[in-house]
Amino acid sequence: MYPEELAKTIDHTLLRADSTTSAVEALCAEAAENHFAAVCLFPHFVPLAAELLRGTDVKTCTVISFPFGADTPRIKALAAGEAISRGADEVDVVINVPAFLSGDFGLVRDELTGIVRAARERGATTGRGQVIVKAIIETCYLDERLKRLACRICEQAGVDFVKTSPGCGPKGATVEDVELLRDCLDESIAVKASGGIRTAADLERMVTAGAARIGTSAGVAIMRERLA
């Protein structure tokens, strides 16, 4: 994979409790310099990132109901809409993992559908156009049957990506999970791998398995390694 292609798979991520304005400024500068696909950060920092990245080829992405997804559907839809109004080009929303594990599949489907609708409407009214919605299903807590069911629900809801994990659970992305998601999903829906991806070899394994985006806080190190 050419360095330019590799860079455009990376969502340069900062989702730590000790994140600061100066850290976000550095994140955005690194993303612009390396031409990453997006930065991914907390909603609080969306206006700052959107301003810093204005005129670059890097998108501003934020997380909704991170990391467990257990907020109410109305709150999650409102949060997605507000993030877009404040400058987000993409939203990574965690499905309601406790509800899903409890068998409340209809709630998860309806919730995601509402979030996608809110994102589309707000993208249109703000002039941002098509806002990308990525659904995080937290694969480390799901068996194969539930992973396949989660993919069907995400398809029904109309999301653009299915993402393996928020990176906060006991296990991050695996090649096997990426392959499974890619096999389950319609070709119109992409896969994002996240959690534990720290080297160029890690990234390339995920891309080979079918991931179109990689969430990582090690993007700069990966690019340096690839260019060495």
Side-chain angles (χ1 to χ4, degrees):
M1 180 180 291
Y2 293 110
E4 298 82 2
E5 296 173 318
L6 183 148
K8 280 304 178 191
T9 69
I10 293 175
D11 285 358
H12 195 32
T13 302
L14 179 64
L15 294 169
R16 292 174 37 154
D18 60 353
S19 302
T20 62
T21 296
S22 60
V24 170
E25 291 170 344
L27 183 86
C28 291
E30 291 167 349
E33 180 181 355
N34 287 279
H35 300 281
F36 291 142
V39 296
C40 187
L41 31 64
F42 291 125
H44 172 72
F45 293 116
V46 163
L48 172 62
E51 179 60 31
L52 291 171
L53 294 170
R54 189 185 307 276
T56 74
D57 59 349
V58 182
K59 301 297 186 183
T60 299
C61 175
T62 194
V63 288
I64 304 297
S65 199
F66 183 87
F68 304 121
D71 295 301
T72 62
R74 180 172 178 272
I75 293 299
K76 293 170 81 168
L78 287 171
E82 181 177 5
I84 294 162
S85 293
R86 287 161 58 86
D89 303 297
E90 305 181 356
V91 292
D92 287 18
V93 56
V94 186
I95 69 167
N96 192 321
V97 177
F100 190 74
L101 292 173
S102 298
D104 202 345
F105 306 128
L107 181 149
V108 175
R109 182 195 61 238
D110 294 346
E111 169 188 271
L112 276 178
T113 301
I115 292 165
V116 170
R117 183 184 304 115
R120 301 290 188 249
E121 290 174 355
R122 193 60 60 91
T125 58
T126 59
R128 305 199 72 80
Q130 179 83 357
V131 173
I132 290 177
V133 179
K134 310 187 195 96
I136 307 173
I137 65 172
E138 190 56 289
T139 50
C140 71
Y141 295 120
L142 310 181
D143 61 21
E144 182 174 336
R145 180 184 70 86
L146 288 177
K147 291 169 190 172
R148 291 182 179 276
L149 178 58
C151 286
R152 289 201 296 274
I153 287 172
C154 290
E155 282 186 347
Q156 292 167 2
V159 304
D160 302 291
F161 277 76
V162 174
K163 179 177 171 181
T164 58
S165 52
C168 299
K171 190 176 181 181
T174 68
V175 167
E176 292 75 19
D177 281 339
V178 171
E179 290 174 339
L180 176 63
L181 299 187
R182 183 62 278 157
D183 179 63
C184 289
L185 292 165
D186 184 84
E187 290 182 0
S188 64
I189 301 175
V191 176
K192 177 176 173 178
S194 183
I197 302 167
R198 297 186 176 88
T199 68
D202 291 337
L203 185 149
E204 290 179 350
R205 278 193 292 269
M206 296 300 173
V207 171
T208 299
R213 289 277 191 97
I214 305 297
T216 179
S217 60
V220 173
I222 287 171
M223 292 301 298
R224 286 174 180 164
E225 178 187 350
R226 186 65 176 80
L227 291 167

